[in-house]
Amino acid sequence: MDFISSLKVEDKSVTITWYKESTVIRESSDVKITFDGTVTRLSISKCKVTHSATYKCVAKNEFGEDESTAILTVKKKKDEDEEEVSITKNI
């Protein structure tokens, strides 16, 4: 599952912070964060029901900050061990 957010203009001085609810997300073996100055990506491998939450990306520089949020819902499929992933609402 990938969340992608982009700037209108490249700015490598921008600080990107990703949140799950109000908790800052840190990289781990299942979570990767990238930013190339224009596009930031939060990648979650092996997405599970416990990943269901509101996610927020905050971009900040010396002129201010902006944010983008989305709600991720992960549900167990009936009669299967697999999980179904969907973004139910972009805010």
Side-chain angles (χ1 to χ4, degrees):
M1 162 53 51
D2 289 340
F3 289 101
I4 300 170
S5 188
S6 62
L7 304 176
K8 290 182 181 179
V9 177
E10 182 177 356
D11 184 351
K12 293 189 180 196
S13 70
V14 169
T15 300
I16 299 292
T17 307
W18 285 93
Y19 296 86
K20 178 182 176 189
E21 302 300 345
S22 60
T23 303
V24 173
I25 298 172
R26 303 282 180 215
E27 285 193 292
S28 68
S29 59
D30 292 337
V31 177
K32 301 294 179 208
I33 297 170
T34 59
F35 178 58
D36 66 6
T38 305
V39 176
T40 182
R41 179 185 308 259
L42 170 67
S43 299
I44 304 171
S45 62
K46 302 176 187 173
C47 209
K48 300 175 182 158
V49 173
T50 57
H51 290 112
S52 295
T54 299
Y55 287 81
K56 177 170 64 172
C57 174
V58 177
K60 185 185 286 189
N61 68 10
E62 67 272 16
F63 302 109
E65 67 180 62
D66 201 3
E67 65 183 52
S68 179
T69 61
I71 298 170
L72 174 67
T73 303
V74 182
K75 299 177 183 176
K76 281 253 190 218
K77 288 186 177 181
K78 292 181 181 179
D79 302 324
E80 294 183 30
D81 289 336
E82 291 182 29
E83 295 174 338
E84 181 179 313
V85 178
S86 65
I87 295 178
T88 58
K89 183 177 179 184
N90 284 319
I91 301 172

